[in-house]
Amino acid sequence: MNRTIFGGFVYLLVIAAMLAFDITGLLNMTLYRDALKSDRLVIGILFGVLLISCLYFRWNRKNDRFSTSYFVLMGYIYIISLFNSLFSPIDKIDYLTMAMPLMMFISSRASTLKVNSRFQRLCFILSFVLLFYYYYSSKTLVTQTDVMDYYHNNSSYYLLYLLPLLLCNPKDIVKWGSIFLVAVVVFTSTKRGGSIAFLFSILVYLYTRYIIQADKRNRLIERLAVFVLIVFASYIVYSFLGSSIDVLMDRIGDNNDQGERGRLTIYQTVLMMISSSAPEKILFGHGWNQVIVDNPIGLSAHNDFLECIYDFGFIGFFLLIYFFYQLIRYSIRLVKANSSYGPPMAVASAILCVNSMVSHILIYPAFAIIFAMFFGYVSGMDTLNKLK
């Protein structure tokens, strides 16, 4: 069998297993089941498929600093979490889920040698369509139960995090159609962090794609066209969403975020937990997702940087900062090189930076695996282009 065809089949299995994992997580979150705890069978299947994929595709190319920084960060997180689990037992299935982002990154990066890029981009579109369908199907069920809560709206992040993958498509209709649909999803969810991350990422995309990378001869025309498009799209989105925008603005202007479960209180509590930890725990951490276990409030840190310090120590925090440095540096290099992957990488950087400050991506495999696929794909395609 042709290796390219077989490679496409293996890649399709990876996409299908990842979709099952994320759809299960989305439904769990939206329908008030155990959030981000997918069915054990689905996790087992995804782990097996990723393992086969890693063994088949293999990592056999020179690494760039960005890829190395991500590999070292996720590898350290997994190793230190395994070590800490000897003293603070975790659910056995978590041993598999913690490894998935790293395995997805390896598989996605290496697969670019053996899988047609058009086929990969088609898989990204199909993934988005399916998640979009399940997102609104589950929201309809929630609406019918008359349950009013913002928790289920966290599932909108699945669609937001897929946006950088969709922006890699060369067709403008796919890019702008994806931006419009994600805007509808994010704003109707009334998530403050998601809305800020989306708006900031779109500004970054417009700046990198239509100002920095614009052809000098057509730069003025492109800027005018983008301005008209933004005004028109803003009017359409506002008209379509109506009350959802009003609710979002009320939430942004809400000053009641300082209570017992407000972010400021959470941050202060986590900082106290860090300062009162033993020296070896400050250095190496307490283990994966331990803030929510040890926090008297019963919540996670709501900040990937604080979470990283408590869970993985200052060594993990240093590796996280180094990864962000390499991520931004890599994005700038791609944009300046006029690479088509520069603006999508800049969008991913913007989303990751904003949501890491007000929420979590690092410790949630269902979210982290989407970024892992994107980082692996862009890094692999960039390396492949250099080899041509």
Side-chain angles (χ1 to χ4, degrees), residues 157 159-164 167 182 193-194 196-202 204 324 327 344-358 361 371:
Y157 288 135
L159 285 306
L160 175 62
Y161 297 158
L162 273 175
L163 182 59
L167 292 177
V182 171
I196 294 171
F198 172 76
L199 290 173
F200 180 55
S201 66
I202 294 306
V204 168
F324 269 98
L327 171 65
M345 182 61 80
V347 167
S349 301
I351 294 174
L352 200 61
C353 287
V354 172
N355 271 18
S356 289
M357 289 189 289
V358 298
I361 296 173
F371 281 99

Side-chain angles (χ1 to χ4, degrees), residues 239-283:
S239 300
F240 181 76
L241 301 180
S243 59
S244 295
I245 295 291
D246 294 333
V247 173
L248 174 62
M249 297 309 295
D250 288 341
R251 294 199 69 211
I252 292 176
D254 186 4
N255 294 320
N256 295 324
D257 199 32
Q258 311 301 322
E260 182 181 345
R261 298 169 72 86
R263 276 181 168 78
L264 182 59
T265 302
I266 295 171
Y267 297 158
Q268 292 172 339
T269 303
V270 175
L271 286 171
M272 290 176 61
M273 291 166 60
I274 294 171
S275 62
S276 61
S277 299
E280 66 275 11
K281 294 294 184 180
I282 293 177
L283 187 61

Side-chain angles (χ1 to χ4, degrees), residues 120-306:
Q120 289 177 296
R121 293 195 296 267
L122 177 61
C123 288
F124 301 155
I125 294 174
L126 292 176
S127 300
F128 180 83
V129 170
L130 282 172
L131 280 173
F132 187 85
Y133 168 77
Y134 278 103
Y135 173 77
Y136 272 103
S137 296
S138 58
K139 283 201 70 171
T140 300
L141 291 175
V142 170
T143 302
Q144 291 173 351
T145 61
D146 294 325
V147 177
M148 298 301 294
D149 195 293
Y150 293 113
Y151 174 71
H152 68 271
N153 290 330
N154 287 333
S155 56
S156 63
Y157 288 135
Y158 285 96
L159 285 306
L160 175 62
Y161 297 158
L162 273 175
L163 182 59
L165 281 167
L166 297 172
L167 292 177
C168 291
N169 197 292
K171 297 184 180 298
D172 286 338
I173 188 171
V174 174
K175 295 178 183 177
W176 288 104
S178 303
I179 290 173
F180 178 80
L181 290 176
V182 171
V184 172
V185 168
V186 171
F187 292 140
T188 54
S189 74
T190 66
K191 297 299 295 182
R192 290 170 292 185
S195 299
I196 294 171
F198 172 76
L199 290 173
F200 180 55
S201 66
I202 294 306
L203 289 175
V204 168
Y205 178 73
L206 294 174
Y207 178 73
T208 55
R209 173 64 184 86
Y210 293 102
I211 294 181
I212 296 181
Q213 290 191 346
D215 190 312
K216 292 182 178 179
R217 293 171 298 178
N218 302 321
R219 184 169 293 179
L220 179 60
I221 297 175
E222 287 190 355
R223 287 179 182 178
L224 289 174
V226 169
F227 176 76
V228 172
L229 182 62
I230 290 174
V231 173
F232 178 72
S234 299
Y235 173 76
I236 295 296
V237 169
Y238 187 82
S239 300
F240 181 76
L241 301 180
S243 59
S244 295
I245 295 291
D246 294 333
V247 173
L248 174 62
M249 297 309 295
D250 288 341
R251 294 199 69 211
I252 292 176
D254 186 4
N255 294 320
N256 295 324
D257 199 32
Q258 311 301 322
E260 182 181 345
R261 298 169 72 86
R263 276 181 168 78
L264 182 59
T265 302
I266 295 171
Y267 297 158
Q268 292 172 339
T269 303
V270 175
L271 286 171
M272 290 176 61
M273 291 166 60
I274 294 171
S275 62
S276 61
S277 299
E280 66 275 11
K281 294 294 184 180
I282 293 177
L283 187 61
F284 297 106
H286 296 75
W288 182 72
N289 201 21
Q290 284 300 301
V291 170
I292 196 170
V293 175
D294 299 337
N295 194 338
I297 302 177
L299 295 172
S300 65
H302 282 64
N303 180 294
D304 266 339
F305 301 99
L306 288 176

